[in-house]
Amino acid sequence: LRGIANILAAFTEVPQDRISEIYPQLNPQVRVVMDASLVKSVRSGSYVWSDCPLDAIYDFLTGVDASPAAFARGAGFSESQIDLPSFQSMADVSDQAVPIKAGGTIKRYRLWGGYALNEKMKDVLPRMLATCDGDLYMTSDGKIAIRGGEWIAPELTIDDTKGHIISHEFGRGAGALAAFNELTTTYMEPNLDYREVEAEMWVDTENMALVGKPRPATPALQMVPHHAQARRLAKIHTAKSNPAWQGRIVTNFYGFNAIGERMVHVKISALG
């Protein structure tokens, strides 16, 4: 068990007729809050305790335990398979100071939580990426890169007046058929013993009046440690899920320029 955290808990023996009074749930549940794991910093390369989401995600993708056997934990990718500059850039975004209503600032994105070593990658990664609006993608070099977390003005324009667009199907967003009109977000609250709680509810009163009933959604942000961060991520989730416009375009070869782009301008003269 070298390198593995262990807990020894000793419980006082009590008279049999008082077991249900002192230990109402029978076997007492041990709960520990700790700075548990050292992760490899994407900026310094050193193993540090960090709550920066990019360090945690990078460590999950490439982590190797400290035993002589050095077996992979997490996703098991090698560091050479990761586009490190994209992780470093987004780590800087995550560390930006954001003001909060109560006064002062917090860092834009933080990640607190854990995962079991037998959990599947498809279950762990979404929880981690949700803390920073992150999106993994494959670069043209075949490496795993990350993007998201902030608005970046598109540099590429796909323009039908220049022949880029062969056909298109575009229209207004879902409107009355919005994916949801009532959003309750759960996150982890340090001030309540690090338990999952509900953030302030977001309600689209206009849509609810139109539809006549609530359409709830509850995105889980189990690894988000601050109410303000949960609310910001909820707004991003809302914008993505209930878009103002939606549709599809078919392009000529110029569309290949969009590979690797997170956002692009689309110019369709027929729609103004």
Side-chain angles (χ1 to χ4, degrees):
L1 295 179
R2 287 194 184 104
I4 299 177
N6 292 271
I7 298 170
L8 171 64
F11 299 97
T12 305
E13 186 177 358
V14 298
Q16 189 167 354
D17 60 352
R18 297 194 62 198
I19 289 178
S20 60
E21 173 191 347
I22 297 175
Y23 297 136
Q25 297 177 338
L26 299 181
N27 295 331
Q29 299 298 305
V30 178
R31 196 162 178 274
V32 178
V33 177
M34 59 181 171
D35 294 350
S37 298
L38 297 180
V39 296
K40 192 168 186 178
S41 168
V42 297
R43 287 171 288 202
S44 70
S46 303
Y47 280 93
V48 296
W49 185 87
S50 170
D51 59 356
C52 176
L54 283 300
D55 291 339
I57 294 168
Y58 180 74
D59 183 76
F60 177 76
L61 290 172
T62 65
V64 177
D65 90 311
S67 71
F71 64 85
R73 53 178 169 76
F77 292 102
S78 68
E79 293 182 5
S80 63
Q81 293 176 277
I82 307 297
D83 180 66
L84 190 58
S86 68
F87 279 76
Q88 294 169 336
S89 176
M90 196 164 165
D92 292 339
V93 172
S94 295
D95 283 351
Q96 293 170 353
V98 176
I100 56 176
K101 286 183 178 180
T105 63
I106 60 172
K107 292 185 177 180
R108 183 175 295 279
Y109 299 121
R110 296 292 92 182
L111 185 157
W112 294 4
Y115 62 89
L117 295 180
N118 62 354
E119 284 191 81
K120 296 179 180 179
M121 181 174 65
K122 67 180 180 66
D123 296 325
V124 179
L125 265 179
R127 294 206 305 267
M128 291 184 161
L129 292 168
T131 65
C132 58
D133 182 37
D135 174 34
L136 294 180
Y137 69 101
M138 194 73 71
T139 68
S140 58
D141 296 328
K143 293 188 175 184
I144 299 170
I146 192 168
R147 60 191 172 192
E150 66 173 344
W151 164 256
I152 298 177
E155 297 180 358
L156 176 69
T157 298
I158 297 178
D159 188 345
D160 72 333
T161 65
K162 296 182 179 180
H164 300 160
I165 299 176
I166 297 172
S167 64
H168 66 83
E169 297 173 16
F170 254 80
R172 291 289 182 180
L177 301 177
F180 55 85
N181 56 25
E182 186 179 88
L183 186 71
T184 303
T185 309
T186 58
Y187 74 103
M188 183 178 64
E189 177 53 67
N191 295 323
L192 295 176
D193 198 25
Y194 300 89
R195 297 186 186 279
E196 276 192 51
V197 297
E198 290 185 359
E200 181 183 350
M201 182 182 292
W202 172 88
V203 179
D204 184 344
T205 53
E206 184 178 338
N207 180 270
M208 194 174 293
L210 191 64
V211 175
K213 63 179 180 180
R215 285 184 170 151
T218 310
L221 301 172
Q222 303 102 316
M223 291 185 167
V224 170
H226 199 284
H227 180 266
Q229 180 180 339
R231 287 285 289 169
R232 281 187 277 108
L233 289 166
K235 290 178 182 178
I236 294 172
H237 177 78
T238 299
K240 286 182 174 180
S241 302
N242 295 334
W245 290 84
Q246 60 186 9
R248 63 191 294 268
I249 61 174
V250 178
T251 74
N252 61 10
F253 284 114
Y254 189 82
F256 280 122
N257 290 308
I259 293 177
E261 297 291 329
R262 189 182 188 215
M263 303 175 188
V264 300
H265 283 299
V266 177
K267 185 176 179 181
I268 301 176
S269 54
L271 298 178

